[in-house]
Amino acid sequence: MAPTDAVQVIEINGEPATGTTLRVPALSAYGHFTAMQVRGGRVRGLELHLARLDSATRELFGAGLAGERVRELLRHALRDVSDASARVYAHWPEGDEEARVMITVRPPATKSGRPHGLMSVPFAREVPHIKHLGGFGQTYHLLRAERAGFDEALLTAPGGLVTEGAVTNIAFWDGTHVVWPQAPSLLGITMALLEPRLPSVRRPVTLADLPSYASAFLTNSQGIAPVDRIDDVRFTVDAELMGRVAAAYEAVEWDVV
């Protein structure tokens, strides 16, 4: 693990994690999380993160997770740290009266703006609309892609239907619209923030369709990056497009934790 990935804080329900309290997150993959970048004690799309946590907790465990409780726990874990990468995990062990919330705090991270290459793989996440734990498959394919000289894996469903990246959302530019693949996938927070701020459409995209698109870009909690190739298909890194996307992203207000 690189130094920039070093965990600085792990708290569970507002208390420092111990060997005992870490047993649940260590041994159970039934849970979910959200990842965010904190700058100056603020987060882009904080309400979307809180809504994601609440809806996933309701679906997985039958009861919600109050946003104000998450904010309080997040503030406690951050303390006087103003810039960070933070994750909020939710489990609900049998016998607990409410969801168990784990917060991790790492140094801040920003996605490299250099062009990214993607390797397509025949894999789709299960229950893809939830940012759930236990992502063995996507990690396996991501590492395979990196060993093959790519930066990210592009997950595809039967028929070569493009769904999402292993750790990103992907969008394509057809010269008029930003095309977000219409397929089972996670609605990433950065995607959710950008989609209404750009001339966006959703439609199915297959591997066979890739040559018809001029450009493409990735989004995740760390930011945005252009795509210059998927397998053997090359894309133009469109400076004007990326400037437009970056401007839309920078215009998003930061919410106080």
Side-chain angles (χ1 to χ4, degrees):
M1 180 177 290
T4 54
D5 293 327
V7 178
Q8 297 172 316
V9 175
I10 305 178
E11 290 191 350
I12 298 177
N13 287 350
E15 299 291 337
T18 67
T20 298
T21 59
L22 280 171
R23 287 178 183 172
V24 169
L27 299 177
S28 174
Y30 193 75
H32 63 93
F33 73 102
T34 196
M36 62 190 75
Q37 291 297 313
V38 183
R39 299 293 186 273
R42 297 170 180 263
V43 174
R44 280 193 181 104
L46 180 59
E47 292 303 320
L48 296 179
H49 285 284
L50 299 179
R52 164 190 279 177
L53 290 167
D54 181 61
S55 63
T57 302
R58 290 181 185 279
E59 182 169 344
L60 294 183
F61 303 112
L65 177 56
E68 191 49 48
R69 180 184 172 213
V70 174
R71 293 179 75 168
E72 181 180 348
L73 292 171
L74 186 56
R75 287 193 294 265
H76 187 272
L78 289 167
R79 293 180 178 81
D80 59 352
V81 175
S82 61
D83 297 345
S85 299
R87 289 191 175 196
V88 182
Y89 297 83
H91 294 84
W92 201 318
E94 186 175 354
D96 281 20
E97 296 183 355
E98 59 183 358
R100 191 173 296 187
V101 178
M102 181 171 74
I103 310 285
T104 65
V105 178
R106 294 178 170 87
T110 301
K111 191 162 191 60
S112 169
R114 63 174 174 74
H116 283 48
L118 282 67
M119 183 178 82
S120 67
V121 298
F123 177 81
R125 295 172 53 250
E126 67 275 18
V127 198
H129 64 285
I130 292 180
K131 194 174 179 69
H132 52 73
L133 305 177
F136 173 85
Q138 66 205 78
T139 301
Y140 169 78
H141 288 296
L142 174 58
L143 293 177
R144 284 185 60 237
E146 290 176 346
R147 286 194 294 268
F150 294 86
D151 302 288
E152 165 71 307
L154 181 66
L155 310 185
T156 63
L161 183 68
V162 172
T163 61
E164 57 193 339
V167 292
T168 57
N169 288 114
I170 188 167
F172 299 89
W173 177 243
D174 67 2
T176 303
H177 296 99
V178 173
V179 179
W180 304 91
Q182 185 178 352
S185 61
L186 178 73
L187 176 59
I189 301 301
T190 300
M191 173 184 168
L193 293 170
L194 285 174
E195 187 174 12
R197 291 171 168 84
L198 296 169
S200 298
V201 297
R202 293 197 191 192
R203 62 172 176 253
V205 177
T206 68
L207 294 177
D209 298 327
L210 296 184
S212 67
Y213 291 100
S215 301
F217 62 90
L218 303 174
T219 70
N220 68 7
S221 64
Q222 296 182 7
I224 59 177
V227 171
D228 64 354
R229 64 171 175 148
I230 298 176
D231 298 332
D232 294 329
V233 178
R234 294 286 175 171
F235 294 89
T236 299
V237 176
D238 187 326
E240 182 179 353
L241 170 66
M242 294 311 300
R244 188 174 182 181
V245 175
Y249 189 51
E250 291 300 323
V252 177
E253 293 187 4
W254 292 77
D255 305 314
V256 176
V257 174

mmCIF file of all heavy atoms in Angstrom, residues 8 23 43-44 48 53 67 71 112 116-117 122 140 158 201 208 213 229 232 237-238 250-251:
data_model
loop_
_atom_site.group_PDB
_atom_site.id
_atom_site.type_symbol
_atom_site.label_atom_id
_atom_site.label_comp_id
_atom_site.label_asym_id
_atom_site.label_seq_id
_atom_site.Cartn_x
_atom_site.Cartn_y
_atom_site.Cartn_z
ATOM 1 N N GLN A 8 -5.237 7.094 8.344
ATOM 2 C CA GLN A 8 -4.859 7.912 9.489
ATOM 3 C C GLN A 8 -5.790 7.696 10.677
ATOM 4 O O GLN A 8 -5.364 7.758 11.819
ATOM 5 C CB GLN A 8 -4.872 9.392 9.079
ATOM 6 C CG GLN A 8 -3.871 9.741 7.990
ATOM 7 C CD GLN A 8 -4.046 11.159 7.483
ATOM 8 O OE1 GLN A 8 -5.153 11.622 7.249
ATOM 9 N NE2 GLN A 8 -2.933 11.859 7.315
ATOM 10 N N ARG A 23 -13.888 -6.768 13.956
ATOM 11 C CA ARG A 23 -14.224 -8.117 13.497
ATOM 12 C C ARG A 23 -15.339 -8.102 12.459
ATOM 13 O O ARG A 23 -15.278 -8.847 11.472
ATOM 14 C CB ARG A 23 -14.647 -8.978 14.693
ATOM 15 C CG ARG A 23 -13.492 -9.382 15.595
ATOM 16 C CD ARG A 23 -13.983 -10.188 16.783
ATOM 17 N NE ARG A 23 -12.891 -10.515 17.683
ATOM 18 C CZ ARG A 23 -13.044 -11.082 18.867
ATOM 19 N NH1 ARG A 23 -14.282 -11.416 19.286
ATOM 20 N NH2 ARG A 23 -12.002 -11.347 19.643
ATOM 21 N N VAL A 43 -17.458 19.001 1.399
ATOM 22 C CA VAL A 43 -17.560 17.873 0.471
ATOM 23 C C VAL A 43 -18.495 18.252 -0.669
ATOM 24 O O VAL A 43 -19.581 18.800 -0.432
ATOM 25 C CB VAL A 43 -18.110 16.615 1.185
ATOM 26 C CG1 VAL A 43 -18.357 15.483 0.195
ATOM 27 C CG2 VAL A 43 -17.155 16.165 2.287
ATOM 28 N N ARG A 44 -18.098 17.967 -1.889
ATOM 29 C CA ARG A 44 -19.014 18.143 -3.020
ATOM 30 C C ARG A 44 -20.101 17.073 -2.967
ATOM 31 O O ARG A 44 -19.818 15.890 -2.802
ATOM 32 C CB ARG A 44 -18.271 18.006 -4.352
ATOM 33 C CG ARG A 44 -17.488 19.221 -4.810
ATOM 34 C CD ARG A 44 -17.083 19.024 -6.267
ATOM 35 N NE ARG A 44 -16.313 20.136 -6.794
ATOM 36 C CZ ARG A 44 -15.006 20.129 -6.990
ATOM 37 N NH1 ARG A 44 -14.296 19.059 -6.687
ATOM 38 N NH2 ARG A 44 -14.392 21.177 -7.500
ATOM 39 N N LEU A 48 -25.947 14.034 -1.557
ATOM 40 C CA LEU A 48 -26.057 12.822 -2.371
ATOM 41 C C LEU A 48 -25.389 11.634 -1.672
ATOM 42 O O LEU A 48 -25.890 10.506 -1.730
ATOM 43 C CB LEU A 48 -25.430 13.049 -3.745
ATOM 44 C CG LEU A 48 -26.086 14.097 -4.641
ATOM 45 C CD1 LEU A 48 -25.340 14.213 -5.958
ATOM 46 C CD2 LEU A 48 -27.552 13.770 -4.886
ATOM 47 N N LEU A 53 -26.179 6.565 1.337
ATOM 48 C CA LEU A 53 -26.008 5.732 2.535
ATOM 49 C C LEU A 53 -27.354 5.324 3.119
ATOM 50 O O LEU A 53 -27.556 4.172 3.523
ATOM 51 C CB LEU A 53 -25.190 6.491 3.576
ATOM 52 C CG LEU A 53 -23.711 6.702 3.237
ATOM 53 C CD1 LEU A 53 -23.092 7.732 4.176
ATOM 54 C CD2 LEU A 53 -22.936 5.388 3.317
ATOM 55 N N GLY A 67 -28.887 10.994 8.076
ATOM 56 C CA GLY A 67 -27.806 11.811 7.556
ATOM 57 C C GLY A 67 -27.100 12.610 8.632
ATOM 58 O O GLY A 67 -25.871 12.755 8.595
ATOM 59 N N ARG A 71 -23.089 12.755 9.517
ATOM 60 C CA ARG A 71 -22.320 14.007 9.542
ATOM 61 C C ARG A 71 -21.614 14.188 10.885
ATOM 62 O O ARG A 71 -20.450 14.591 10.936
ATOM 63 C CB ARG A 71 -23.236 15.192 9.260
ATOM 64 C CG ARG A 71 -23.788 15.208 7.862
ATOM 65 C CD ARG A 71 -24.709 16.373 7.608
ATOM 66 N NE ARG A 71 -23.956 17.622 7.452
ATOM 67 C CZ ARG A 71 -24.508 18.732 6.989
ATOM 68 N NH1 ARG A 71 -25.792 18.743 6.636
ATOM 69 N NH2 ARG A 71 -23.789 19.824 6.852
ATOM 70 N N SER A 112 -5.513 11.811 -11.396
ATOM 71 C CA SER A 112 -4.591 12.333 -12.399
ATOM 72 C C SER A 112 -5.356 12.730 -13.657
ATOM 73 O O SER A 112 -6.221 11.991 -14.138
ATOM 74 C CB SER A 112 -3.537 11.276 -12.762
ATOM 75 O OG SER A 112 -2.807 11.669 -13.898
ATOM 76 N N HIS A 116 -6.202 8.273 -19.824
ATOM 77 C CA HIS A 116 -6.270 6.916 -19.294
ATOM 78 C C HIS A 116 -6.596 5.921 -20.398
ATOM 79 O O HIS A 116 -7.422 6.204 -21.278
ATOM 80 C CB HIS A 116 -7.352 6.827 -18.213
ATOM 81 C CG HIS A 116 -6.947 7.409 -16.886
ATOM 82 N ND1 HIS A 116 -6.364 8.647 -16.755
ATOM 83 C CD2 HIS A 116 -7.050 6.907 -15.621
ATOM 84 C CE1 HIS A 116 -6.129 8.897 -15.479
ATOM 85 N NE2 HIS A 116 -6.524 7.855 -14.774
ATOM 86 N N GLY A 117 -5.967 4.745 -20.299
ATOM 87 C CA GLY A 117 -6.292 3.642 -21.187
ATOM 88 C C GLY A 117 -7.095 2.594 -20.444
ATOM 89 O O GLY A 117 -6.814 2.300 -19.273
ATOM 90 N N PRO A 122 -15.211 -8.938 -19.618
ATOM 91 C CA PRO A 122 -16.594 -9.416 -19.519
ATOM 92 C C PRO A 122 -16.967 -9.658 -18.059
ATOM 93 O O PRO A 122 -16.895 -10.775 -17.547
ATOM 94 C CB PRO A 122 -16.564 -10.718 -20.326
ATOM 95 C CG PRO A 122 -15.165 -11.225 -20.129
ATOM 96 C CD PRO A 122 -14.286 -10.010 -20.039
ATOM 97 N N TYR A 140 -9.996 -7.746 -9.203
ATOM 98 C CA TYR A 140 -9.258 -8.730 -9.999
ATOM 99 C C TYR A 140 -9.035 -8.203 -11.414
ATOM 100 O O TYR A 140 -7.923 -8.237 -11.952
ATOM 101 C CB TYR A 140 -10.044 -10.043 -10.022
ATOM 102 C CG TYR A 140 -9.538 -11.068 -11.008
ATOM 103 C CD1 TYR A 140 -8.418 -11.835 -10.740
ATOM 104 C CD2 TYR A 140 -10.209 -11.271 -12.223
ATOM 105 C CE1 TYR A 140 -7.958 -12.782 -11.657
ATOM 106 C CE2 TYR A 140 -9.755 -12.216 -13.139
ATOM 107 C CZ TYR A 140 -8.626 -12.969 -12.847
ATOM 108 O OH TYR A 140 -8.170 -13.898 -13.753
ATOM 109 N N PRO A 158 -23.149 -9.042 -21.138
ATOM 110 C CA PRO A 158 -23.283 -9.824 -22.364
ATOM 111 C C PRO A 158 -23.623 -8.959 -23.567
ATOM 112 O O PRO A 158 -24.386 -7.993 -23.476
ATOM 113 C CB PRO A 158 -24.420 -10.798 -22.020
ATOM 114 C CG PRO A 158 -24.274 -11.013 -20.543
ATOM 115 C CD PRO A 158 -23.865 -9.670 -20.007
ATOM 116 N N VAL A 201 -27.134 12.726 -22.317
ATOM 117 C CA VAL A 201 -28.162 11.747 -22.661
ATOM 118 C C VAL A 201 -27.685 10.390 -22.147
ATOM 119 O O VAL A 201 -26.496 10.191 -21.910
ATOM 120 C CB VAL A 201 -28.418 11.659 -24.182
ATOM 121 C CG1 VAL A 201 -28.958 12.973 -24.714
ATOM 122 C CG2 VAL A 201 -27.162 11.234 -24.940
ATOM 123 N N ALA A 208 -18.838 -2.516 -29.816
ATOM 124 C CA ALA A 208 -18.872 -2.310 -31.266
ATOM 125 C C ALA A 208 -19.153 -0.855 -31.626
ATOM 126 O O ALA A 208 -18.799 -0.401 -32.724
ATOM 127 C CB ALA A 208 -19.935 -3.217 -31.902
ATOM 128 N N TYR A 213 -17.584 7.165 -31.418
ATOM 129 C CA TYR A 213 -17.467 8.271 -30.465
ATOM 130 C C TYR A 213 -16.115 8.944 -30.612
ATOM 131 O O TYR A 213 -15.079 8.293 -30.761
ATOM 132 C CB TYR A 213 -17.668 7.774 -29.035
ATOM 133 C CG TYR A 213 -19.084 7.342 -28.760
ATOM 134 C CD1 TYR A 213 -19.442 6.003 -28.765
ATOM 135 C CD2 TYR A 213 -20.073 8.290 -28.527
ATOM 136 C CE1 TYR A 213 -20.753 5.606 -28.547
ATOM 137 C CE2 TYR A 213 -21.389 7.909 -28.298
ATOM 138 C CZ TYR A 213 -21.714 6.566 -28.311
ATOM 139 O OH TYR A 213 -23.016 6.182 -28.092
ATOM 140 N N ARG A 229 -7.775 5.593 -24.982
ATOM 141 C CA ARG A 229 -7.943 4.320 -25.682
ATOM 142 C C ARG A 229 -8.758 3.359 -24.842
ATOM 143 O O ARG A 229 -8.726 3.381 -23.605
ATOM 144 C CB ARG A 229 -6.592 3.682 -26.015
ATOM 145 C CG ARG A 229 -5.756 3.299 -24.795
ATOM 146 C CD ARG A 229 -4.534 2.485 -25.185
ATOM 147 N NE ARG A 229 -3.672 2.220 -24.034
ATOM 148 C CZ ARG A 229 -2.945 1.130 -23.881
ATOM 149 N NH1 ARG A 229 -2.981 0.165 -24.802
ATOM 150 N NH2 ARG A 229 -2.173 0.962 -22.820
ATOM 151 N N ASP A 232 -8.092 -1.501 -28.479
ATOM 152 C CA ASP A 232 -7.367 -0.966 -29.633
ATOM 153 C C ASP A 232 -8.029 0.268 -30.231
ATOM 154 O O ASP A 232 -7.563 0.801 -31.245
ATOM 155 C CB ASP A 232 -7.243 -2.032 -30.725
ATOM 156 C CG ASP A 232 -6.374 -3.203 -30.281
ATOM 157 O OD1 ASP A 232 -5.442 -2.975 -29.485
ATOM 158 O OD2 ASP A 232 -6.644 -4.337 -30.723
ATOM 159 N N VAL A 237 -8.217 13.222 -27.197
ATOM 160 C CA VAL A 237 -8.304 13.953 -25.939
ATOM 161 C C VAL A 237 -8.691 15.382 -26.306
ATOM 162 O O VAL A 237 -7.859 16.174 -26.763
ATOM 163 C CB VAL A 237 -6.980 13.903 -25.149
ATOM 164 C CG1 VAL A 237 -7.078 14.753 -23.900
ATOM 165 C CG2 VAL A 237 -6.637 12.456 -24.802
ATOM 166 N N ASP A 238 -9.961 15.699 -26.135
ATOM 167 C CA ASP A 238 -10.543 16.964 -26.577
ATOM 168 C C ASP A 238 -10.388 17.994 -25.457
ATOM 169 O O ASP A 238 -11.109 17.953 -24.457
ATOM 170 C CB ASP A 238 -12.015 16.739 -26.916
ATOM 171 C CG ASP A 238 -12.684 17.937 -27.543
ATOM 172 O OD1 ASP A 238 -12.318 19.072 -27.175
ATOM 173 O OD2 ASP A 238 -13.595 17.749 -28.363
ATOM 174 N N GLU A 250 -16.066 22.160 -11.315
ATOM 175 C CA GLU A 250 -15.585 23.193 -10.403
ATOM 176 C C GLU A 250 -16.713 24.091 -9.941
ATOM 177 O O GLU A 250 -16.609 24.719 -8.873
ATOM 178 C CB GLU A 250 -14.482 24.019 -11.073
ATOM 179 C CG GLU A 250 -13.183 23.265 -11.302
ATOM 180 C CD GLU A 250 -12.560 22.757 -10.011
ATOM 181 O OE1 GLU A 250 -12.637 23.480 -8.998
ATOM 182 O OE2 GLU A 250 -12.018 21.636 -10.022
ATOM 183 N N ALA A 251 -17.774 24.206 -10.710
ATOM 184 C CA ALA A 251 -18.894 25.068 -10.345
ATOM 185 C C ALA A 251 -19.776 24.471 -9.259
ATOM 186 O O ALA A 251 -20.622 25.171 -8.687
ATOM 187 C CB ALA A 251 -19.740 25.366 -11.580
#
